Structure formats: structure tokens, C-alpha cells
Amino acid sequence: ETGVTQSPTHLIKTRGQQVTLRCSSQSGHNTVSWYQQALGQGPQFIFQYYREEENGRGNFPPRFSGLQFPNYSSELNVNALELDDSALYLCASSSRLAGDGETQYFGPGTRLLVL
Amino acid sequence: QQPVQSPQAVILREGEDAVINCSSSKALYSVHWYRQKHGEAPVFLMILLKGGEQKGHEKISASFNEKKQQSSLYLTASQLSYSGTYFCGTEGGGGSQGNLIFGKGTKLSVKP
């Protein structure tokens, strides 16, 4: 186990609704990254938060937004849900070290189904 | 810019070896390898920074050829527990540092 927790584990929503997913980072980590993983695909980078600010964003529309809190936990918000948003949402925490690679440790994920 | 993994799938007998390749069209700062079992989160295996180093983790090792922008994961004397989908995640330098771009994965099945 990595120490990264996510809630909820499963969620069912309908098109047009809004959803908030939560992630608690591993102790000592200050960076949280969010990924979307469709069935049979690799994780796709959504965005990363470092020191409560967005630090890089993948090819996702603005209706995907996030927050990071002073305790380094994070939220992913998705507005106006679409059927294609159905996926496993993974958060990964890491420790930002200048000049070094960051090992990202994944949480168990939240499986979102949009009907 | 998504890295290309090969092969897409491989079936092994226990004790056999396998190599999984990961190629990128852009300059890389690091390559991260993960294994994901069905219904579970990806589990970190190892990270390789630019410099062409090779790393090992039990009977799993990896290399990173910075000039060719390629990485290979080597699994020797495979065990049933090695089954799963292996992903490489690549990281560019500069502003994209820390933002991993994953390949589509290589599904490895180890049979008794």
C-alpha cells in the first residue's frame, strides 16, 4: 500500500451533473497529480498541483478543475458530466525535489460511471 | 507524444524471460515503469533518469537510452505474480517535469 487514499471508491452520476473526487496524499508528499484511465488504456494526465497551484495540465477541457489544500490533499471537480467521462480516476502523490525524478505513488482510484 | 510500447501483449511460461520496450519521439528527462493488475491501481516499479543508467529490482531491471529516447524493461525468470499490464510513463524536462505521459501498456500473462 502506498498511503495514498481516494474517495469515494465508486460513483454513479447522470449526464450534466457535477462530481467531486478527493485524494489524500502520502505523508511527506507535497505534489498531487490526477489521471483519467479509460478501460484498456494507460492513465492520461489531467493536471498536477504543487503548493496549492496548478503545475501543468493535460489535454482536458476547463470543466475539469482541481484544488490542493494546505495539507496537500486535493480535489478533482468535473462539471457538466458526459458519457465519455466514465473512467477510473487516479491520483498520485509525489515529493517535489529539485533536479531529481519524482516517483509518483498511485491511490486505489475512483471508478466513475456516467449514465 | 504518447510513448509507444511493444509488444502489446506477451504470454510466458513460468521461468521464461521477457523484454518490454518503450519509445518516445521527444527528448526525455526520465522514464517511469509501473505494473497494474486487473482492477487495481498502478504499482511503481522503478524510475530511470537521463544518463543511460540501468536499474534493477529483484529479477526486474530496466535501461534508458537517452540518445534513442528508449527504455526497456527486462523480466527474468518470470513468476506468476509478474502477470499484469506494464506501463511506461515518460517525463520531459523543463515545464513538463512531473507530468507523466503513459503508453498504452503491455499485457503480460505468465502461465504455470
Side-chain angles (χ1 to χ4, degrees):
Chain A
E1 263 185 43
T2 62
V4 181
T5 61
Q6 291 186 243
S7 63
T9 54
H10 294 81
L11 206 50
I12 300 175
K13 291 285 188 178
T14 56
R15 270 188 307 175
Q17 284 189 310
Q18 178 265 343
V19 69
T20 297
L21 310 182
R22 295 177 176 84
C23 171
S24 291
S25 59
Q26 185 169 307
S27 177
H29 285 181
N30 56 16
T31 304
V32 173
S33 304
W34 285 93
Y35 295 85
Q36 179 194 67
Q37 187 175 27
L39 206 58
Q41 300 294 318
Q44 255 194 301
F45 176 72
I46 303 175
F47 43 56
Q48 182 182 80
Y49 277 85
Y50 171 61
R51 289 186 174 177
E52 302 178 53
E53 290 191 3
E54 188 178 288
N55 178 58
R57 187 179 183 94
N59 190 25
F60 281 82
R63 59 189 185 84
F64 284 78
S65 63
L67 282 173
Q68 186 180 34
F69 300 99
N71 66 355
Y72 306 122
S73 66
S74 177
E75 284 183 358
L76 164 65
N77 298 291
V78 187
N79 294 321
L81 284 167
E82 300 176 359
L83 296 179
D84 284 349
D85 295 335
S86 296
L88 179 67
Y89 287 85
L90 295 161
C91 83
S93 79
S94 56
S95 177
R96 176 61 56 90
L97 295 171
D100 196 357
E102 297 173 32
T103 298
Q104 297 189 16
Y105 295 94
F106 284 90
T110 293
R111 192 162 294 280
L112 172 66
L113 178 61
V114 182
L115 301 175
Chain B
Q1 294 180 343
Q2 181 179 39
V4 177
Q5 288 186 233
S6 62
Q8 290 184 327
V10 59
I11 299 174
L12 298 175
R13 291 284 180 193
E14 255 187 309
E16 291 182 337
D17 302 340
V19 179
I20 300 172
N21 299 302
C22 175
S23 298
S24 174
S25 60
K26 58 179 280 187
L28 299 176
Y29 175 77
S30 67
V31 179
H32 304 225
W33 285 97
Y34 289 82
R35 176 173 60 213
Q36 186 176 31
K37 294 184 182 285
H38 183 68
E40 299 179 8
V43 173
F44 171 74
L45 294 175
M46 62 189 75
I47 179 175
L48 299 104
L49 303 180
K50 67 178 181 179
E53 64 176 289
Q54 186 149 349
K55 276 197 168 183
H57 177 72
E58 296 180 344
K59 294 179 181 176
I60 301 175
S61 62
S63 63
F64 179 21
N65 187 322
E66 180 188 347
K67 289 182 180 177
K68 292 185 177 180
Q69 292 149 202
Q70 291 176 350
S71 178
S72 294
L73 185 71
Y74 307 94
L75 301 105
T76 58
S78 59
Q79 306 168 14
L80 295 176
S81 61
Y82 287 3
S83 293
T85 301
Y86 289 77
F87 293 100
C88 68
T90 57
E91 181 184 24
S96 65
Q97 188 172 340
N99 307 339
L100 292 182
I101 308 299
F102 284 92
K104 292 186 176 181
T106 296
K107 185 172 182 180
L108 177 72
S109 300
V110 181
K111 309 288 185 185

